[in-house]
Each structure stands twice: as C-alpha cells, then as structure tokens.
Amino acid sequence: KMRANKNACVKLLFGINSEEGFQTVDLPPMQIRNIRVSENNKMTHSFPLSETNGESAKDSLGDVSGTVRNPQWIIPLHQNWKSAASIVTKGTASFAFDQQKERLLIVTRDSLFTFSLRETTISGMPLAVSRGVMPPGNQAIINQRTGNLINFYPDEKQVSFYDPEKNSFSLNFTPKLLTEFWHLNKFLSYSDSALYLAGGYGQLQYKNLFYRYHFPSSTWDTIKPGGDFLMPRYLAALGTNNNGDTAYILGGYGSNTGDQKVNPRYIYDLLAFDVRSKSIKKLGQLDEPASNFTFLNSLIVDSATRDFYTMVYPRDRFNSGLRILKGNLDSSSYRFLADTIPYDFHDIESFADLFYSPVSKKLLALTSFTNKDSVSEVKIYTIDFPPNELIAAEPSTRSNTGRFWLIGAAILLAGVMFAYVLRRKKPTLQLPAQPVPEPVQTQTNQPVTIEPVNESPVQETIHDPIFNYEPVNGPSIHLFGQFQVTDINGHDITKQFSPLLKELFLLIFINSFSENKGISSEALTEHLWFNKSEKDARNNRAVNITKLKTILEKLGAPVLLSKDSGLWQLQVNDENIYNDYAIFQHLQHSRQSVDRNYIVGLMQIVRRGTFLSQTDYSWLDDIKSNVSNTVIDKFTEYLEKSNINEEAEFIIAITNGIFLFDRLNEQALEYKCKSLIILKRHALANTTYLNFAREYKEIYQEEFSRQFNEVIR
C-alpha cells in the first residue's frame, strides 16, 4: 500500500520497466494477484488476475483493461497437462518414480533412462550388462526411504535389484510368451519390509490373490486375504498410506468367479487391505458413472485429507484418453479434473501410471504402448498440483477504452528474456557420449489402427454335418462370430470400418432393434466423444455419419440411415441383405414353437460363433449377456422335451452350440455324454467328461463334484 499527496505527481514503477534511470529486467520469481487501485479511499479498479490466457487482465470494477507482459497464468498450470518428454525403445519397459530426487526411471533392455522433473530433460545411460529381454509383465518400484530401484517379474517370482556402482541389475529374467499378470498392482510395505503384488489378468483369468516378497529373508508367499470379498480384477488403481501398512484398491474390471467368459463387468468399489491382519475391508462404492471407465495403475492418497487422485479411461476403444478423478476415502462421489491425455489403449499392450512429487508439487503421468514389433512408445506428461476443474479458456482480447499496464499477472520469471526462453524450451533427449543401443527411434505418418480386444483364444464355430449351411454370396451383415460386412458382390468390406466407424455403426444398428428404435445424438456423444466440446462432438458426428453412409451404399440395397423423432436409426432391407441379428430378433420374438425347425434356424445364425465375439465395448456387455442367455434357453428348452434315443446326433450338435456360449454348462455335459453313450462312443463320452472336469478345475480352482457315472445316469 502507498498513499500519495493529492497535489503530488507520482509515477509508480513496479517490476520490469524501461523508465529512464530506473530500467531493470532483473525480477525474482513471484506470484501476483488481486491488484487494486483506490482514489480518495474508494476502490476504483480491481484486477483479480484470474485469466487463463492472453495478455489482457480484466478490471472487475470498471471497463479499463490491464495489459500483461510475458505472463504465465497460474490457472492453466493446474488444469492443462503439459507434454514433457517421450522416448521409443525396444521391449516392454518398466517405470518407477523417485520422489526424493524427482526423477522417473525407465528400465529397458539395455539402458536406464532418467526423466528429471526439475530439468524437464530425459537422459539415457547404457547398462553395464544387458538385461537380454524385458518380458511382458515386468514392473519396477523404488523404495522411497532408501532410493533402491527394484525390478520384478511376477511369473517367475523373481526380484532384481539395481546396483548404481556397477550400473547393472542383480539378475535377468527368463521370459514367457505371455504373462499371467497383466496390469497387476504393487506396493511396498515398510512395516514388514515387503513387496506386495495384487490382482492382474492372464490366461483368461482375473486374479484376487496377494503375493508377498519379504526382503530380509528373500522369500515369497501367497496370501488369500480374509474379511470382505475381493472380486478378481485387473485395471484397478492402488495406493497406500504413508507407512505402507494399508493399501487402498479402487475399481477395475473382472468377475466374481475370475473367469473372463463368465459375466465380466466394471468394478467401482473401494477396498482397504490391512498388511498386519492380511484382511480386506470394503470402504464404499463409487457412484455409478454414465459411461463406464477403468483405472490406471496407481492411486495417490492424501492421508491428511483422505482425498485420493487417480486417472480413468474407457477400455473399449483404442483412441482413448486419461482424465484425473478426485475422490475421498469416506465418500462415494467424485469429480473429474483437468484436461485429457491421449492414451493408445490396447489392453495387454498398454500401460499407464500416475506419480506425485511433493517437492515440486506436480503430478506426473506416463503412457506406454508396445506394438506388434515389440517397440514401445513412452510419453510423459506433467501438471501442477492440486489439479483444478477444467475451465474453458477465454478469448484473448484487448480493450480500446483504456490501457492499464500490469507487469506480472501470474508467475513472472526472473527476467523477460529468461521467461521467454523457458516458455519455449522443449525437453531434449540427452544421451551419453558413448553410443547407446537404445532407444530405437521410429517415426511414421500412418495412424495405427488396432481393434481393442482382450487376450482370448480364436473364437470357435460350429460345423456339423447335420445342418446344410448355405454360404451367403451377396450383401450381408454378420454380428455373430467376428463382425463382418460384405458388399453387393460378396466382397468383404469389413476393413473399411475404422474402430470409431465400427462402434458408431453398431450403436445405431443394435439400438434400432431396441424398444426405443434408435439412439440419440447425446448418447452417441457420451459413448464416442465424451471428452470433446459440444461443437467438436457435433462436427465429429456429422463427418463420421457421412463416412458411414458411404460404406453402406456399397451393400447395393436400401440401407437407410436417418434421424427420425430425434433418434438415429438404421433400416435394412432384409429381403436383399442377409442380416443375422435381424433373423435372431425375429426368432426371439416370434410365437413359433421351439421345434426342430426352430433350432435348425437358430443354429444357422450362431454357427459362426458367439455374438460379436471379438468386439468389446462396455455398453455391449448386457446385450451380449441377453443374447447368450436367449440362445442357451432355447437350446435347453428343446433338449428337455427331446427324445434322446431317437435324436442323439442332433442333441450332440445342440450341446456343442450351448458349449459355444457356456463352456461349463452341466446340463449340456449330461446330454452330450448320454447321447454319445447311446451311439456307443464310450471313449469319446469319457474324454468329453474329463475335458470338462479339467477346465472346471482351472477356472474355479476346485474339483468338479460330479463323477462320470453320475453324469450319465
């Protein structure tokens, strides 16, 4: 504050200025806000300096605009992620964040890379001894109290320690083709000096056991936690309290049985694992979202406020995006903060994590995608903590009614030229003088298009000599088995559907058969363009609807894509285009009795496989479940009234159809084994039973309770 005599002529110089005799550009870092000007004890101007961009500051009391030189506004630093660095390297890299030194360590096959949060630079150093191969599923973690870097491989139950003096790890791993622990969670417990691993996915199974590595004794043990039920899952977030004796597990994707094929679903519960009691306690459940999402690997927990931060994304698309979710351990509500980070998500080939630096008060996020050539692209982003809700940037304007020069605004860096350089400085890859075999840098101008699917075996199909299948030679739309569309000449045009166009088509097509007879523009935006503004979403929708119409014209028959009564609809001429889903709907809702002709017609539809067998969207889960239940119910209904002595071959074909949708259907097992006995194929009946029992044990981790004689009785 300063007071000037009313008769005095005063010029106030504050900060950087070019006034003769007072010139200076030497300005220490500072933060400025709420500049107020009063005349005669009455405030005449107030500049909150709460803008998000530009060089103009609004006067909240008048129409005078202040002009800011070289501002760095604070608000965007807390709501906009900055792309900090990226590298491309061979193999599956692993990551660990050192809070004390504010550095992200990236472990690769031949090198150890360090991203410095303070310098926003990344440097690489070749290891003295190559790791050989970095297998999928390996992860890394840092002991924040000692600074030790630890690399582990859960499939082998092996832990490798980095020795900075020798610049090498204590051991290498023997990789398998695939890991059984995709996206597992990990944490260090300082109370019992142990590394804990939790959850994960592999070999069609979600996990809910804990694995513990005790550092003093170098031993592993398996923990089946007591207390509340921990649903088998992956794609969950995990964080701990300060001492590491309580781990918080948030959400994920899994199923009650652990079997990927038995009702998998999104999970939004919040659980606490107590290291001392080895038990689980359910703390609550997040409010069900409008659009489903899963979580990256870590949960940042503030023990003082009990707030937590993580990032979420939709798992049903490749061109995905990460956004911050803030919640509280004592509440079911949550908020989305800041803008979105692009994330190439392809399930087992992708990884994302979040770290917090208490020194710089920043969040650091990373994404990694490994392509089919085992080349990984790692991208690093930063944002100031705490993150804020996203506020639309105001247009940069400069008022002509007056000019009030403000020097500073948000953060003024020391010196105009210094600030100018810092704002334009990009992270550089600083390599050591000697050649480093990694990273292998690759560039391409072609976008990568990969269909997001789970790790799963090739979809089985039914081929039975009882049924005379007639191939479809003309235009067709197949939703059973793998998604396929053929044109008027019978040529496969499925590849012309990009992942986005495919989902757009299926959303409109399937909803055209629902009670609503279509889908609204708002629902399409929620599923496909949730992270875009209303204007951008509308433009994207218009462009892709046009592309979709162009493809559908190649079917050569009336396919009407329209928007009637506010809903998008697809009307297909069933007489000219083979449409298996339309035929299925007709069978499902018809009053035709479930006789032999009905079953033959149903078998013709499902012979290619289950409904959209290699297509996975969150909104599709219930539809798939309903289709499967309908098929099984119809097949079972016929079995229960059939004459097994006269229709043994036909019944075997039906049970094969049931197994296509439910591999552990006990009723189908009974009918198939009995039919094989009637046909005097005793060895095949016994083999069928043994295969069923073996798969039952693999999935449920317990013996099948019924003996062979009981099944065929």
Side-chain angles (χ1 to χ4, degrees):
K1 290 183 179 180
M2 57 181 300
R3 188 181 299 274
N5 186 288
K6 64 179 180 179
N7 295 320
C9 180
V10 176
K11 179 180 288 187
L12 175 63
L13 303 175
F14 180 75
I16 300 171
N17 70 88
S18 57
E19 185 72 16
E20 185 69 27
F22 298 93
Q23 302 99 323
T24 181
V25 293
D26 185 14
L27 187 67
M30 65 177 69
Q31 295 184 8
I32 303 175
R33 64 177 181 177
N34 296 330
I35 295 180
R36 301 182 179 93
V37 179
S38 297
E39 296 180 16
N40 298 324
N41 294 322
K42 180 181 179 181
M43 189 179 301
T44 56
H45 302 285
S46 176
F47 300 91
L49 299 177
S50 58
E51 282 74 14
T52 59
N53 68 347
E55 296 185 345
S56 179
K58 291 183 179 179
D59 180 3
S60 62
L61 296 180
D63 57 358
V64 174
S65 282
T67 301
V68 185
R69 296 175 181 170
N70 300 321
Q72 188 173 356
W73 301 100
I74 288 180
I75 289 179
L77 300 179
H78 292 262
Q79 67 178 21
N80 297 323
W81 286 92
K82 289 184 178 180
S83 178
S86 66
I87 66 169
V88 179
T89 182
K90 288 184 177 179
T92 305
S94 58
F95 316 93
F97 185 70
D98 186 342
Q99 289 186 345
Q100 302 300 321
K101 297 182 179 180
E102 295 190 283
R103 58 178 186 169
L104 174 70
L105 299 180
I106 304 173
V107 184
T108 68
R109 184 182 64 185
D110 297 315
S111 303
L112 179 63
F113 291 91
T114 302
F115 170 75
S116 170
L117 188 58
R118 300 171 187 171
E119 306 293 335
T120 63
T121 57
I122 188 166
S123 58
M125 178 173 60
L127 296 171
V129 179
S130 171
R131 304 298 306 281
V133 176
M134 294 293 285
N138 86 92
Q139 289 199 39
I141 196 169
I142 282 185
N143 186 325
Q144 301 297 342
R145 297 186 176 180
T146 65
N148 292 336
L149 172 61
I150 305 164
N151 186 209
F152 61 88
Y153 185 38
D155 295 80
E156 282 189 334
K157 300 296 185 293
Q158 293 283 358
V159 178
S160 185
F161 300 90
Y162 177 69
D163 186 336
E165 294 185 0
K166 296 181 180 179
N167 187 28
S168 63
F169 284 84
S170 58
L171 60 86
N172 290 345
F173 306 130
T174 304
K176 298 181 179 180
L177 291 177
L178 290 174
T179 177
E180 293 192 27
F181 297 95
W182 297 107
H183 296 286
L184 64 73
N185 299 103
K186 74 275 187 185
F187 70 95
L188 286 176
S189 169
Y190 302 106
S191 61
D192 62 346
S193 301
L195 166 68
Y196 285 82
L197 312 180
Y201 163 80
Q203 302 299 324
L204 309 181
Q205 290 290 305
Y206 307 109
K207 312 295 193 301
N208 67 345
L209 298 177
F210 282 74
Y211 298 94
R212 173 179 178 268
Y213 178 79
H214 186 235
F215 290 105
S217 62
S218 301
T219 57
W220 285 91
D221 56 347
T222 302
I223 299 169
K224 187 174 183 180
D228 293 333
F229 176 62
L230 172 64
M231 182 186 294
R233 70 189 67 194
Y234 81 139
L235 300 177
L238 184 147
T240 66
N241 60 357
N242 293 335
N243 197 40
D245 56 11
T246 301
Y248 301 100
I249 305 169
L250 178 62
Y253 190 84
S255 68
N256 285 323
T257 64
D259 184 359
Q260 176 192 332
K261 304 175 295 302
V262 182
N263 297 323
R265 62 183 179 88
Y266 290 85
I267 309 167
Y268 300 103
D269 57 9
L270 176 61
L271 308 169
F273 171 73
D274 187 275
V275 169
R276 293 182 174 86
S277 64
K278 305 296 188 291
S279 63
I280 295 285
K281 179 180 179 181
K282 183 173 181 179
L283 302 181
Q285 181 93 8
L286 293 187
D287 295 336
E288 196 77 16
S291 296
N292 286 314
F293 52 74
T294 48
F295 304 80
L296 52 57
N297 207 251
S298 293
L299 190 72
I300 309 300
V301 181
D302 185 338
S303 298
T305 63
R306 294 179 65 81
D307 289 337
F308 61 77
Y309 299 83
T310 185
M311 299 188 77
V312 301
Y313 58 96
R315 65 177 290 275
D316 53 9
R317 66 202 62 180
F318 176 72
N319 296 314
S320 189
L322 292 166
R323 193 169 186 190
I324 297 175
L325 179 146
K326 178 185 178 182
N328 187 276
L329 298 176
D330 304 314
S331 173
S332 63
S333 62
Y334 52 87
R335 292 187 298 155
F336 294 112
L337 306 176
D339 61 358
T340 303
I341 297 174
Y343 183 31
D344 293 339
F345 179 72
H346 189 214
D347 200 11
I348 59 177
E349 296 175 354
S350 304
F351 182 80
D353 214 342
L354 181 70
F355 307 101
Y356 172 60
S357 172
V359 180
S360 295
K361 295 191 180 302
K362 290 181 181 289
L363 289 173
L364 183 150
L366 70 87
T367 66
S368 175
F369 173 71
T370 306
N371 65 21
K372 62 182 180 180
D373 298 320
S374 295
V375 175
S376 298
E377 183 176 12
V378 181
K379 299 179 180 179
I380 303 170
Y381 304 85
T382 62
I383 193 172
D384 282 19
F385 187 87
N388 295 334
E389 291 189 39
L390 188 62
I391 303 173
E394 300 177 357
S396 177
T397 59
R398 189 171 294 189
S399 174
N400 294 323
T401 58
R403 181 165 293 182
F404 199 105
W405 291 94
L406 301 176
I407 310 299
I411 300 176
L412 290 181
L413 302 176
V416 178
M417 294 306 296
F418 183 58
Y420 180 86
V421 171
L422 279 183
R423 292 199 339 268
R424 287 156 178 78
K425 182 179 180 181
K426 295 183 179 179
T428 57
L429 184 61
Q430 297 179 350
L431 299 178
Q434 55 182 310
V436 181
E438 294 187 329
V440 176
Q441 299 290 345
T442 60
Q443 293 184 348
T444 176
N445 295 323
Q446 297 298 323
V448 180
T449 303
I450 300 177
E451 181 68 20
V453 296
N454 277 343
E455 174 197 12
S456 60
V458 176
Q459 173 65 48
E460 298 176 1
T461 57
I462 302 175
H463 299 288
D464 198 282
I466 290 178
F467 304 102
N468 296 319
Y469 299 123
E470 297 181 3
V472 179
N473 295 320
S476 65
I477 300 172
H478 292 280
L479 300 193
F480 283 84
Q482 294 188 34
F483 172 71
Q484 184 182 44
V485 179
T486 59
D487 64 14
I488 189 172
N489 298 314
H491 298 148
D492 192 339
I493 59 172
T494 311
K495 291 184 179 180
Q496 297 183 25
F497 288 82
S498 67
L500 179 59
L501 283 178
K502 175 183 174 181
E503 186 172 6
L504 174 63
F505 169 77
L506 291 175
L507 277 166
I508 300 175
F509 184 71
I510 293 176
N511 279 283
S512 297
F513 291 91
S514 67
E515 294 181 1
N516 296 329
K517 301 298 182 184
I519 185 171
S520 66
S521 296
E522 291 75 18
L524 289 177
T525 298
E526 184 176 316
H527 286 297
L528 302 176
W529 300 287
F530 68 97
N531 58 345
K532 296 186 180 296
S533 66
E534 182 179 350
K535 180 181 178 181
D536 288 344
R538 184 170 58 251
N539 291 338
N540 275 271
R541 184 172 61 248
V543 169
N544 285 283
I545 287 289
T546 301
K547 291 181 180 179
L548 185 57
K549 287 181 177 179
T550 301
I551 296 176
L552 295 177
E553 288 175 357
K554 298 179 181 180
L555 274 68
V559 180
L560 181 61
L561 177 56
S562 61
K563 186 181 180 183
D564 296 330
S565 304
L567 298 177
W568 289 98
Q569 297 177 334
L570 255 174
Q571 299 175 8
V572 180
N573 189 326
D574 297 334
E575 295 181 358
N576 298 326
I577 300 177
Y578 178 81
N579 178 356
D580 60 1
Y581 189 59
I583 299 173
F584 174 79
Q585 290 288 331
H586 174 75
L587 281 175
Q588 180 183 3
H589 299 296
S590 70
R591 297 183 179 181
Q592 179 182 351
S593 62
V594 183
D595 55 14
R596 190 182 180 99
N597 289 333
Y598 185 100
I599 294 300
V600 170
L602 184 58
M603 194 71 75
Q604 289 274 10
I605 298 171
V606 305
R607 71 186 189 276
R608 299 180 74 249
T610 56
F611 186 67
L612 290 170
S613 60
Q614 294 191 18
T615 302
D616 191 9
Y617 307 123
S618 59
W619 58 267
L620 195 58
D621 291 345
D622 290 341
I623 298 172
K624 280 188 172 184
S625 178
N626 291 335
V627 171
S628 297
N629 290 337
T630 298
V631 173
I632 293 172
D633 289 345
K634 297 299 183 183
F635 282 152
T636 303
E637 182 180 344
Y638 184 85
L639 289 178
E640 291 175 346
K641 62 184 181 182
S642 64
N643 187 327
I644 192 170
N645 292 304
E646 297 179 0
E647 301 181 281
E649 291 279 7
F650 191 71
I651 288 174
I652 291 173
I654 294 174
T655 59
N656 289 338
I658 294 177
F659 284 138
L660 192 63
F661 290 84
D662 181 4
R663 293 161 62 184
L664 295 181
N665 189 291
E666 294 186 33
Q667 194 169 9
L669 175 68
E670 290 182 10
Y671 276 94
K672 184 170 184 177
C673 288
K674 289 178 181 178
S675 298
L676 289 169
I677 294 294
I678 290 173
L679 296 173
K680 301 188 183 305
R681 302 174 188 170
H682 300 279
L684 187 55
N686 187 59
T687 300
T688 300
Y689 168 82
L690 292 176
N691 289 339
F692 184 97
R694 182 176 63 253
E695 189 166 6
Y696 186 96
K697 183 177 181 180
E698 289 176 356
I699 291 178
Y700 294 113
Q701 297 299 309
E702 61 182 45
E703 299 290 343
F704 183 48
S705 60
R706 303 175 65 188
Q707 299 299 316
F708 178 67
N709 289 335
E710 182 183 352
V711 170
I712 64 174
R713 186 176 304 149

